[in-house]
Amino acid sequence: MSDLAQLTPSLLWQHFAKICSIPHPSMHEEALAQHIVSWAKEKNLHAERDAVGNILIRKPATAGMENRKSVVLQAHLDMVPQKNNDTEHNFEKDPIQAYVDGQWVKARGTTLGADNGIGMASALAVLSDESLSHGPIEVLLTMTEETGMDGAFGLQPNWLQSEILINTDSETEGEIYMGCAGGVDCVTNLPLTREAVPAGYQTVKVSLKGLKGGHSGGDIHLGLGNANKLMSRLLFTHAQSLGLRLQSFNGGSLRNAIPREATVTLSLPAANIERLKQTCAEFLSIIKHELDAVEKNIDLIVEPFNCGFKALTLDSQSRLLGLLNASPNGVIRMSDSVKGVVETSLNVGVVTTDEDRAQVIYLIRSLLDSGKEYVAEMLISLGQLAGAQTSAKGGYPGWQPNPNSPIMTLVCESYKKLFDTTPHIMVIHAGLECGLFKRPYPDMDMVSIGPTITGPHSPDEQVHIPSVSRYWQLLTELLKSIPERS
Ligand SMILES: [Zn+2]
């Protein structure tokens, strides 16, 4: 840790070292929260918490800056607890062991928590740095962002007094975020009926493997293969001619990851097994050709399988394969207001079957609430056609880009002035808390900035030291330039 204390800006790194020393995985942020509140009170800063545990700390303007607009600096308190298999670490008790490796700060065998620990440290450094010049400051630290944005969901109106919010949770220095997608899960449940496998049938397992997978938001525009969609296409096309009788279908493991693998078990007349293998080989060469630019390692394997399951009735089978094969997937619409950015998408994330039910879990994302609703309605009508029940749950709103945002313009001007280059204005097709802040604070002018962090949410997480210093320069320059209240 003494390692980190040598780095500049030193106040920021000292706060970050302290944050690393107090365990704060999602759902276990209390010790860190209490430390921060008592620290603020010792410094005679106003500090309070709301019903969900969010922390609000106020620091008055510095001399001569009293007329400036008030600004909220915002970060989330929690970090994602991930470790390597060979690392002994108890995230609820053990400090993160951060160290310097060249231009990067890393952690020994675990996530570092630079997401969003550097943002949090920068906000605390603004509170403790007496050499800065700024208007009234509020620091908002939210609870449990990584596992459900609990703090952002619970944020009440009329608590914050500022009209500008700077979110510190983006992960590439030089990119300024002005919008993000909202999301909603859709779950379709299809009742299944089964019957005995006809005599003379043999059972095989068919596995589609080797797809890249990726983040269902950030990577959805890449046109990667979706194992659930490819498998259902294969089966729907050839079920009748090969006399296939499906027993199980399992694909994908997370709703927010593009599925890399899907496995089915099915029975067919013994005489058709060779034709199935041939069909699979042909299908493999077709999809390899279609996806050649993005998928290099697809494989489709047919192997013998002993299964005690009954097969789906032909009616259940055609409903399930029809449902999956007709399901929309991927990019639905690109944004007109921000070029090159996906407006609405969905991911057919997880498909499972058990004795009497098939379940499909979709994650829909959109910059617009109406875009999410449109896709959810499509899935509901598709479910109706198939005789399934579809319900939407866990929705959170997007942060719709405002190309005329004054804080956005100011960040760009400050960046150009400091670094003599134009920053990239970005909209992320994934969730940030800002979308939720717009509900209690619809008029809040918001922007998101941060240092460069690679491998977040994994033990490879690291933060680029020079980018932290540039991020700090930008943040403090920005605070100095906030305009007067009108
Ligand atoms: Zn984060």
Side-chain angles (χ1 to χ4, degrees):
M1 193 189 299
S2 53
D3 229 12
L4 265 54
Q6 313 298 319
L7 301 173
T8 50
S10 58
L11 268 177
L12 185 158
W13 284 109
Q14 283 164 30
H15 281 292
F16 183 66
K18 186 72 193 174
I19 289 166
C20 289
S21 75
I22 305 173
H24 57 287
S26 303
M27 317 295 289
H28 302 276
E29 306 100 320
E30 201 47 39
L32 179 60
Q34 284 182 15
H35 161 78
I36 291 172
V37 170
S38 6
W39 171 85
K41 287 185 171 162
E42 267 166 39
K43 292 194 74 71
N44 286 319
L45 297 169
H46 173 89
E48 57 178 300
R49 301 186 74 187
D50 65 9
V52 289
N54 296 322
I55 299 175
L56 174 58
I57 305 171
R58 294 202 175 97
K59 181 185 181 190
T62 56
M65 302 286 280
E66 295 82 357
N67 297 337
R68 304 299 179 98
K69 289 181 175 175
S70 175
V71 172
V72 195
L73 297 179
Q74 186 265 327
H76 59 81
L77 271 158
D78 60 324
M79 65 174 279
V80 173
Q82 286 287 318
K83 64 182 187 74
N84 288 324
N85 286 335
D86 57 357
T87 301
E88 288 271 330
H89 189 92
N90 180 340
F91 279 98
E92 291 172 37
K93 292 201 180 117
D94 303 335
I96 298 295
Q97 295 185 32
Y99 66 99
V100 177
D101 181 5
Q103 299 218 311
W104 298 84
V105 170
K106 306 177 176 181
R108 293 192 202 283
T110 68
T111 34
L112 172 63
D115 166 17
N116 196 194
I118 296 287
M120 194 170 7
S122 70
L124 299 179
V126 167
L127 296 178
S128 52
D129 192 335
E130 302 300 335
S131 71
L132 300 178
S133 180
H134 57 70
I137 297 286
E138 294 186 305
V139 167
L140 172 66
L141 304 177
T142 47
M143 295 288 277
T144 320
E145 185 265 354
E146 301 285 5
T147 55
M149 303 203 205
D150 297 5
F153 266 105
L155 189 68
Q156 296 299 311
N158 307 315
W159 197 38
L160 303 173
Q161 295 169 354
S162 305
E163 31 189 320
I164 297 168
L165 183 142
I166 302 175
N167 169 282
T168 61
D169 197 19
S170 58
E171 288 159 355
T172 309
E173 192 275 324
E175 294 183 350
I176 318 287
Y177 284 83
M178 62 178 291
C180 75
V184 65
D185 294 345
C186 259
V187 179
T188 295
N189 285 310
L190 175 73
L192 299 177
T193 50
R194 292 178 180 269
E195 62 192 17
V197 174
Y201 277 49
Q202 276 186 11
T203 304
V204 295
K205 181 162 95 170
V206 182
S207 311
L208 181 65
K209 292 183 171 169
L211 293 161
K212 265 196 198 146
H215 189 275
S216 78
D219 298 326
I220 202 72
H221 62 293
L222 300 176
L224 299 169
N226 176 311
N228 292 329
K229 287 296 296 173
L230 293 169
M231 181 62 91
S232 59
R233 173 175 157 194
L234 168 72
L235 299 179
F236 182 85
T237 313
H238 300 285
Q240 220 173 353
S241 62
L242 291 171
L244 305 182
R245 298 299 301 270
L246 191 63
Q247 295 177 344
S248 70
F249 191 128
N250 290 288
S253 57
L254 290 168
R255 74 203 206 300
N256 61 0
I258 296 168
R260 287 179 291 113
E261 298 185 359
T263 299
V264 299
T265 56
L266 49 86
S267 303
L268 71 169
N272 289 353
I273 290 206
E274 277 316 306
R275 267 176 59 214
L276 171 69
K277 287 183 178 166
Q278 212 182 335
T279 303
C280 285
E282 284 161 11
F283 183 72
L284 181 60
S285 80
I286 290 170
I287 59 177
K288 275 187 163 172
H289 176 70
E290 283 177 9
L291 301 173
D292 184 45
V294 286
E295 300 283 2
K296 300 288 182 200
N297 300 307
I298 319 177
D299 206 0
L300 187 56
I301 300 156
V302 181
E303 55 199 330
F305 189 74
N306 286 323
C307 174
F309 259 143
K310 291 177 170 177
L312 304 191
T313 57
L314 284 174
D315 179 61
S316 280
Q317 172 170 310
S318 76
R319 285 170 193 269
L320 175 58
L321 295 182
L323 172 76
L324 292 173
N325 197 43
S327 172
N329 180 65
V331 175
I332 298 291
R333 193 173 196 280
M334 300 298 287
S335 169
D336 293 329
S337 54
V338 203
K339 244 189 149 29
V341 167
V342 178
E343 182 170 276
T344 303
S345 75
L346 81 160
N347 179 45
V348 184
V350 185
V351 179
T352 51
T353 51
D354 60 21
E355 187 60 32
D356 57 3
R357 183 187 73 165
Q359 187 172 70
V360 190
I361 306 177
Y362 306 88
L363 176 52
I364 305 169
R365 299 179 191 268
S366 182
L367 297 177
L368 308 176
D369 284 343
S370 63
K372 279 185 308 186
E373 285 156 19
Y374 162 58
V375 178
E377 290 299 329
M378 265 202 271
L379 296 180
I380 289 167
S381 20
L382 180 60
Q384 275 174 9
L385 290 172
Q389 282 289 341
T390 301
S391 54
K393 58 171 196 179
Y396 59 92
W399 166 24
Q400 212 184 318
N402 170 13
N404 303 316
S405 153
I407 185 66
M408 185 73 219
T409 309
L410 188 61
V411 177
C412 290
E413 283 168 3
S414 305
Y415 196 93
K416 270 184 232 164
K417 187 170 134 194
L418 284 171
F419 306 122
D420 202 26
T421 153
T422 313
H424 300 282
I425 310 301
M426 310 287 286
V427 171
I428 185 173
H429 195 61
L432 282 175
E433 292 166 288
C434 299
L436 286 163
F437 300 152
K438 277 279 177 186
R439 288 210 284 216
Y441 300 95
D443 298 326
M444 188 78 86
D445 188 16
M446 302 191 294
V447 72
S448 177
I449 55 176
T452 298
I453 297 169
T454 65
H457 304 188
S458 86
D460 298 329
E461 180 183 5
Q462 55 178 2
V463 60
H464 189 235
I465 298 164
S467 79
V468 174
S469 147
R470 285 162 70 96
Y471 157 71
W472 176 251
Q473 278 178 271
L474 177 64
L475 181 63
T476 51
E477 174 64 29
L478 195 54
L479 294 178
K480 216 189 300 178
S481 337
I482 295 289
E484 292 191 354
R485 284 193 295 273
S486 41

